[in-house]
Amino acid sequence: MSSRDSRPRVVITGMGFVSCLGMDINTVWNALLAGQSGIRRITSFDASEMPCQIAAEIPEFDPLTFISAKEARRMSRCSQFGLTSAELAMRDADLDGEWDNPERVGVYFGTAIGGWDRAYEGIESYRVNGIARTNPFFLPSVLPNMPTFHVTQRFHALGPNSTITTACATGTQAVGEAAQAIRNGWADVMISGGTEALIMDVILAGFAIMRALPTSYNAQPEQASRPFEAHREGFVFGEGSACLILENLAHARKRGANIYAEVTGFASSSDAFHIAAPEPSGAGAVRTMERALDDAEINPGQVDYINAHGTSTPANDAMETKAIKSLFKDAAYKIPISSTKSMMGHPMGASGAVEAAVCALTIKHGAIHPTINYVDPDPDLDLDYVPNQGRESDVEIALSNSFGLGGQNACLVLERME
């Protein structure tokens, strides 16, 4: 008997999005299939003097849809996103938080940046008004564990609890570790995902001075994110959240839950190389993909689809392509690969959770969304990036990649439930 046969099986039974393409699952999915970009000029502050003036914002987000005004005032924007996506995922899973045993329900959520918006407000208020007018809730709202806290409080989840922060790999790692918690027998249900709200002037300036952002597409924002394409210049800021409800298969079947896909493999690793640049050979990415497939007891030749990290940065896209070729050998040219970030930008800590959910929808609907803005191929990047046009495809096994700042790597394997 394989180790896979001896451990609890983990399935996805609910999902929720807060994204630049919408909050309804079908709306988001149909927009992705149609190649619709959610990237636009920044409206939340005056970015006219910035080298990069575009982002995948969510200006229409209303926290009061699911959160009371009193609660919202005490939350950062990333906590508001996270709690909203969790509420939507719970509804999608047909769960109401009335648990037979809340100690068997856990929350693993993550963010790379945390509540910087409330930090700005608190610091400015202190400098202008002094200690007497300082908001007593500003410091707690800044902490990166606050999205996790608000989700646990809302749904009375008393089981395993963790806040993940591994830069751009955060969402993938949160979902992967949540699946491990169920496998280890610690929980029957895990509420897991990532959230990010980083579209602020100083953060934009910081990445701009690092030359990590595109600067040639301020007048054509929807064309700025160009993963794997010859004229890619950098990643486009995004914001938002995605939440996945993971369940022990026996628990899900007992209550007749809808199942999107099964989570069968997870791995993480570190490049231990550079604060920002990926290790050029892709050795860490290869190691992580290989270990995730080993965890799922899957051979590379069985993978039907890869949702790439695909940031649209020159170095990262080249590294990821090299890594895929190294691991998959000749089969690399037969596997469709697409980048969700070409349309939704890069919401850092949320991106891996968004992409895991997209993989589940890919498996469920038998279709692959495109990588848009693929006009001029890079001769060194010659795989099938599903350019510009989505396609129908019978995807049984999907690999989702996240390779973040600081060499933080995480990969998930999702499979169709038979």
Side-chain angles (χ1 to χ4, degrees):
M1 183 173 66
S2 71
S3 61
R4 177 166 163 172
D5 292 331
S6 65
R7 67 196 186 196
R9 296 173 68 180
V10 182
V11 294
I12 301 167
T13 59
M15 300 189 296
F17 291 99
V18 176
S19 84
C20 62
L21 296 178
M23 294 169 59
D24 174 75
I25 292 173
N26 289 330
T27 299
V28 173
W29 178 240
N30 289 332
L32 288 171
L33 286 181
Q36 178 182 329
S37 175
I39 298 167
R40 62 197 85 182
R41 289 186 62 85
I42 291 170
T43 60
S44 55
F45 63 89
D46 182 4
S48 60
E49 300 301 316
M50 294 284 185
C52 177
Q53 301 165 12
I54 59 176
E57 282 187 312
I58 314 174
E60 67 278 9
F61 174 73
D62 179 7
L64 303 186
T65 304
F66 298 114
I67 305 168
S68 72
K70 180 179 179 180
E71 288 178 304
R73 286 194 299 270
R74 297 178 177 182
M75 291 185 193
S76 66
R77 185 169 171 86
C78 81
S79 287
Q80 294 170 356
F81 285 161
L83 184 55
T84 299
S85 71
E87 179 71 45
L88 290 167
M90 288 284 285
R91 293 185 181 193
D92 185 49
D94 196 24
L95 292 169
D96 57 11
E98 297 295 325
W99 314 108
D100 292 334
N101 184 356
E103 294 180 9
R104 300 286 299 169
V105 181
V107 177
Y108 281 14
F109 234 83
T111 178
I113 299 294
W116 273 43
D117 55 331
R118 291 305 167 94
Y120 286 173
E121 293 171 8
I123 292 168
E124 182 65 19
S125 177
Y126 170 74
R127 286 176 173 169
V128 172
N129 302 309
I131 192 169
R133 297 289 298 275
T134 299
N135 185 336
F137 292 102
F138 108 81
L139 188 56
S141 67
V142 171
L143 299 176
N145 69 306
M146 283 298 108
T148 306
F149 160 73
H150 288 296
V151 174
T152 58
Q153 184 189 49
R154 169 68 65 90
F155 300 111
H156 194 57
L158 304 182
N161 179 277
S162 184
T163 294
I164 311 297
T165 178
T166 50
C168 316
T170 294
T172 300
Q173 186 139 354
V175 174
E177 293 196 11
Q180 298 282 40
I182 294 174
R183 285 185 187 175
N184 290 339
W186 302 342
D188 297 317
V189 179
M190 293 294 296
I191 306 169
S192 179
T195 183
E196 209 72 83
L198 48 68
I199 303 175
M200 292 169 268
D201 53 4
V202 70
I203 298 179
L204 188 75
F207 279 108
I209 205 68
M210 290 170 62
R211 299 183 180 178
L213 307 179
T215 59
S216 301
Y217 300 94
N218 290 328
Q220 301 91 26
E222 69 284 349
Q223 299 177 26
S225 186
R226 315 175 72 84
F228 306 107
E229 201 257 4
H231 303 293
R232 64 193 187 278
E233 293 183 353
F235 77 86
V236 178
F237 269 3
E239 64 176 355
S241 180
C243 178
L244 290 79
I245 306 301
L246 306 182
E247 288 188 61
N248 182 312
L249 176 59
H251 186 276
R253 282 180 168 164
K254 183 178 180 180
R255 68 182 192 88
N258 172 59
I259 294 173
Y260 285 98
E262 182 177 3
V263 181
T264 57
F266 165 66
S268 66
S269 75
S270 173
D271 286 351
F273 174 72
H274 189 273
I275 192 171
E279 199 280 318
S281 75
V286 172
R287 184 167 58 249
T288 313
M289 289 188 288
E290 185 172 40
R291 289 179 178 176
L293 293 174
D294 286 346
D295 187 43
E297 300 182 7
I298 293 297
N299 296 319
Q302 294 176 267
V303 174
D304 299 308
Y305 168 66
I306 298 173
N307 188 291
H309 188 52
T311 57
S312 186
T313 60
N316 205 297
D317 290 1
M319 178 280 293
E320 186 169 11
T321 296
K322 184 181 292 186
I324 291 170
K325 289 180 180 180
S326 177
L327 177 60
F328 290 90
K329 305 295 191 287
D330 291 343
Y333 292 89
K334 302 175 183 177
I335 302 172
I337 302 162
S338 62
S339 171
T340 307
K341 295 180 182 72
S342 66
M343 291 169 275
M344 298 180 73
H346 189 1
M348 293 193 77
S351 62
V354 170
E355 290 154 6
V358 167
C359 283
L361 291 169
T362 298
I363 291 169
K364 187 77 171 178
H365 294 292
I368 297 173
H369 75 67
T371 302
I372 68 167
N373 299 319
Y374 193 87
V375 178
D376 294 321
D378 182 328
D380 295 323
L381 280 57
D382 55 353
L383 300 179
D384 176 9
Y385 305 111
V386 193
N388 304 315
Q389 187 73 41
R391 66 181 69 152
E392 293 183 359
S393 183
D394 185 24
V395 175
E396 292 191 9
I397 299 173
L399 174 67
S400 186
N401 288 341
S402 294
F403 308 124
L405 290 172
Q408 309 264 217
N409 308 310
C411 297
L412 284 166
V413 179
L414 276 66
E415 294 188 45
R416 179 185 296 164
M417 266 297 303
E418 298 298 340

